[in-house]
């Protein structure tokens, strides 16, 4: 007889416990059994044991960011990722500053909307659903508007899965003497964002994306001098990054009730992350997941929205098939019956759906995803998954 734990060790990417479906979604995502098991006890938030857990979480995240000389610090913030984005914007953009938001999807739009709520001056370069913002256009926008102090870029725009060229954008921003803030929510931990290689002032991510923890907090990684300068800027007591940082450094505690179980699960997720070879190892598995899944889906006739160059190893958007028998909600249910939760698309021009590559899954699982997609098409009497002409025309526009 094998206990669930020993089975998990033999088969690290075995189906999630209790017949749950795999979540092919970009967070919440499928987590390891040991991550879930780490939540089976209670911690006192003020107790030394939990304070040590918080300290360990912060230092491990700084190590993942490559902070070797102590120029940065890590500040966890309760809530979902959006709370951390809002906290970052309110704390690092001075009240009389002005932001340039590089938007190419829902998360860029949300950042602009956040600045509106905050009453912070901002302009947006809107690239539509999925065109990447490029360094030269950022440079031109900064030349044209000397009032801009900060630029915000989304690392992987999860609404299409596009991987934005953050390194190129960082170079353009600092060449013009401005500062960069990064929403690396769905990329940090799997794609390199080393502070020694890409210059920025602050970035945010959250527990339930590429580190493969469960939802409950986000975290800001920022330069200490920027953290110091952030004092008194935030509009919000709960989202004040400086206040959280100062209190945490003084007491080792979070200012308000921390998600204790989520932190415990996250430490186990960090252990698995290190065991897999850190950012490089995790990025390799996700890339392999994507390559196996995309190749199989293309064989079925599906086509990706993006050219290979912009495909992230995080999530991939496919056009809905043109076939008259194809119905997304039916497809969704058929996939779910086979154990896979996929994700509806978020594009405005053409119908699409998304398949995530992140979470506790490997290439064997991705092959089964493709097999399930093929069977689901057959059950719907769809003999080819080829997209409509309009979708191809839209993609050609992207290439132009
Ligand atoms: C997930 C995500 C967020 C945060 O979303 P929440 O639903 O608040 O966790 C922000 N930006 C990006 C790019 C994301 O992928």
């Amino acid at each position: 007889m094998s206990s669930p734990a020993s089975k998990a060790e033999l088969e690290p990417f075995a189906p999630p416990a209790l017949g749950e479906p795999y979540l092919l979604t970009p967070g919440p995502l499928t987590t390891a059994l040991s991550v879930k098991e780490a939540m089976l006890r209670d911690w006192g938030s003020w107790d030394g044991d939990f304070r040590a857990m918080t300290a360990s979480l912060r230092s491990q995240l700084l190590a993942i960011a490559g902070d070797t000389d102590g120029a940065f610090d890590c500040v966890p913030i309760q809530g979902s990722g959006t709370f951390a984005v809002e906290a970052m914007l309110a704390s690092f953009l001075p009240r009389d500053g002005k932001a340039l938001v590089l938007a190419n999807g829902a998360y860029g739009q949300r950042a602009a909307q956040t600045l509106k709520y905050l009453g912070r001056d901002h302009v947006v370069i809107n690239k539509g659903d999925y065109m990447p913002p490029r360094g030269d256009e950022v440079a031109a926008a900064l030349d044209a508007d000397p009032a801009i102090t900060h630029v915000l870029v989304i690392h992987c725009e999860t609404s299409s899965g596009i991987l934005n060229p953050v390194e190129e954008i960082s170079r353009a921003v600092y060449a013009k003497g401005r500062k960069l803030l990064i929403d690396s929510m769905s990329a940090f931990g799997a794609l390199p964002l080393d502070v020694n290689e890409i210059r920025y002032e602050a970035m945010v991510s959250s527990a339930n994306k590429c580190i493969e923890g469960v939802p409950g907090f986000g975290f800001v990684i920022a330069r200490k001098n920027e953290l110091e300068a952030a004092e008194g800027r935030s509009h919000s007591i709960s989202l004040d990054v400086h206040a959280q940082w100062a209190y945490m450094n003084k007491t080792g505690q979070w200012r308000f009730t921390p998600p204790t179980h989520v932190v415990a699960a996250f430490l186990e997720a960090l252990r698995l992350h290190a065991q897999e070879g850190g950012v490089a190892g995790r990025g390799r598995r996700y890339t392999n997941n994507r390559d196996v899944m995309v190749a199989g889906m293309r064989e079925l006739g599906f086509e990706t929205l993006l050219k290979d160059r912009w495909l992230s190893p995080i999530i991939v958007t496919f056009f809905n098939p043109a076939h008259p028998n194809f119905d997304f909600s039916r497809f969704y249910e058929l996939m779910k019956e086979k154990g896979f939760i996929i994700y509806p698309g978020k594009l405005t021009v053409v119908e699409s759906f998304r398949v995530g590559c992140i979470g506790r899954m490997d290439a064997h699982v991705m092959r089964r995803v493709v097999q399930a997609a093929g069977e689901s098409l057959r059950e719907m009497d769809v003999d080819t998954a080829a997209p409509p002409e309009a979708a191809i025309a839209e993609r050609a526009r992207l290439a132009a």
Side-chain angles (χ1 to χ4, degrees):
M1 258 192 56
S2 65
S3 73
S6 63
K7 183 166 175 261
E9 265 160 41
L10 287 171
E11 253 187 283
F13 301 100
L18 307 170
E20 297 165 31
Y22 283 98
L23 301 182
L24 300 163
T25 57
L29 37 64
T30 294
T31 57
L33 186 57
S34 63
V35 166
K36 291 182 262 257
E37 283 171 346
M39 293 186 283
L40 292 175
R41 70 158 276 193
D42 306 312
W43 276 269
S45 61
W46 38 262
D47 182 69
D49 292 346
F50 186 73
R51 279 184 280 134
M53 286 158 68
T54 299
S56 167
L57 172 162
R58 294 173 70 195
S59 64
Q60 290 187 66
L61 288 172
L62 284 168
I64 292 172
D67 176 47
T68 43
D69 57 3
F72 285 73
D73 212 341
C74 172
V75 187
I77 305 277
Q78 295 95 325
S80 88
T82 304
F83 293 57
V85 175
E86 184 167 350
M88 172 176 78
L89 292 173
S91 301
F92 297 107
L93 187 64
R95 292 197 180 191
D96 60 356
K98 180 172 183 179
L100 168 63
V101 177
L102 307 178
N104 56 342
Y107 292 103
Q109 301 287 1
R110 190 183 294 171
Q113 195 188 7
T114 305
L115 288 165
K116 209 165 156 190
Y117 267 77
L118 294 174
R120 297 288 211 283
D121 199 6
H122 63 283
V123 283
V124 180
I125 292 182
N126 187 356
K127 300 292 296 191
D129 278 340
Y130 39 81
M131 309 260 281
R134 301 305 303 260
D136 51 0
E137 59 194 321
V138 172
L142 295 177
D143 280 339
D145 189 349
I148 296 170
T149 54
H150 291 69
V151 176
L152 176 83
V153 66
I154 314 293
H155 192 175
C156 170
E157 176 47 83
T158 323
S159 47
S160 66
I162 193 167
L163 187 54
N164 284 322
V166 284
E167 199 170 345
E168 176 185 300
I169 287 161
S170 169
R171 267 185 266 114
V173 168
Y174 288 95
K176 300 293 175 192
R178 319 300 170 84
K179 293 177 169 179
L180 184 64
L181 305 174
I182 304 178
D183 171 354
S184 186
M185 202 71 62
S186 63
F188 183 79
L191 295 171
L193 192 58
D194 190 305
V195 296
N196 303 299
E197 271 144 44
I198 299 178
R199 189 167 168 195
Y200 59 85
E201 307 306 316
M203 61 128 273
V204 275
S205 184
S206 74
N208 60 291
K209 302 250 166 144
C210 298
I211 307 288
E212 299 185 359
V214 301
F217 69 91
F219 50 88
V220 176
I221 291 177
R223 279 181 204 280
K224 284 178 180 163
N225 59 343
E226 291 291 325
L227 282 162
E228 270 152 23
E231 184 168 8
R233 271 187 198 148
S234 184
H235 64 299
S236 157
I237 181 169
S238 55
L239 299 177
D240 185 336
V241 178
H242 177 273
Q244 180 94 327
W245 177 61
Y247 186 83
M248 213 170 247
N249 281 355
K250 203 167 103 203
T251 65
Q253 297 175 39
W254 303 49
R255 280 176 307 157
F256 314 117
T257 304
T260 47
H261 301 74
V262 176
V263 169
F266 193 71
L267 287 173
E268 170 59 12
L270 281 168
R271 191 187 69 77
L272 295 174
H273 184 265
Q275 183 179 292
E276 190 171 0
V279 175
R282 180 115 333 156
R284 226 178 290 121
R285 172 160 61 85
Y286 289 174
T287 301
N288 195 30
N289 283 354
R290 177 200 62 198
D291 291 347
V292 165
M293 187 267 292
V294 167
M297 293 293 276
R298 282 179 176 157
E299 262 175 50
L300 296 174
F302 284 105
E303 296 212 26
T304 60
L305 163 77
L306 299 171
K307 291 195 294 180
D308 289 359
R309 175 176 179 195
W310 302 112
L311 281 185
S312 68
I314 307 299
I315 186 165
V316 178
T317 300
F318 293 95
F319 294 123
N320 282 7
H323 198 288
N325 288 351
F326 184 85
D327 169 46
F328 178 76
S329 38
R330 176 98 203 283
F331 184 63
Y332 179 93
E333 290 303 330
L334 290 169
M335 290 295 285
K336 184 177 171 184
E337 272 170 24
K338 295 168 184 56
F340 301 105
I341 300 271
I342 58 171
Y343 212 48
K346 254 193 192 175
L347 306 181
T348 50
V349 182
V350 287
E351 301 275 349
S352 63
F353 67 93
R354 292 175 289 171
V355 181
C357 311
I358 67 179
R360 194 78 181 156
M361 306 175 302
D362 65 2
H364 297 283
V365 176
M366 298 320 262
R367 276 187 207 100
R368 289 174 40 215
V369 172
V370 172
Q371 201 185 338
E375 282 167 20
S376 301
L377 289 180
R378 277 193 292 284
E379 284 163 38
M380 295 169 73
D381 259 325
V382 173
D383 57 2
T384 170
E389 289 299 317
I392 302 299
E394 179 65 9
R395 192 172 53 185
R397 197 179 67 78
L398 170 67

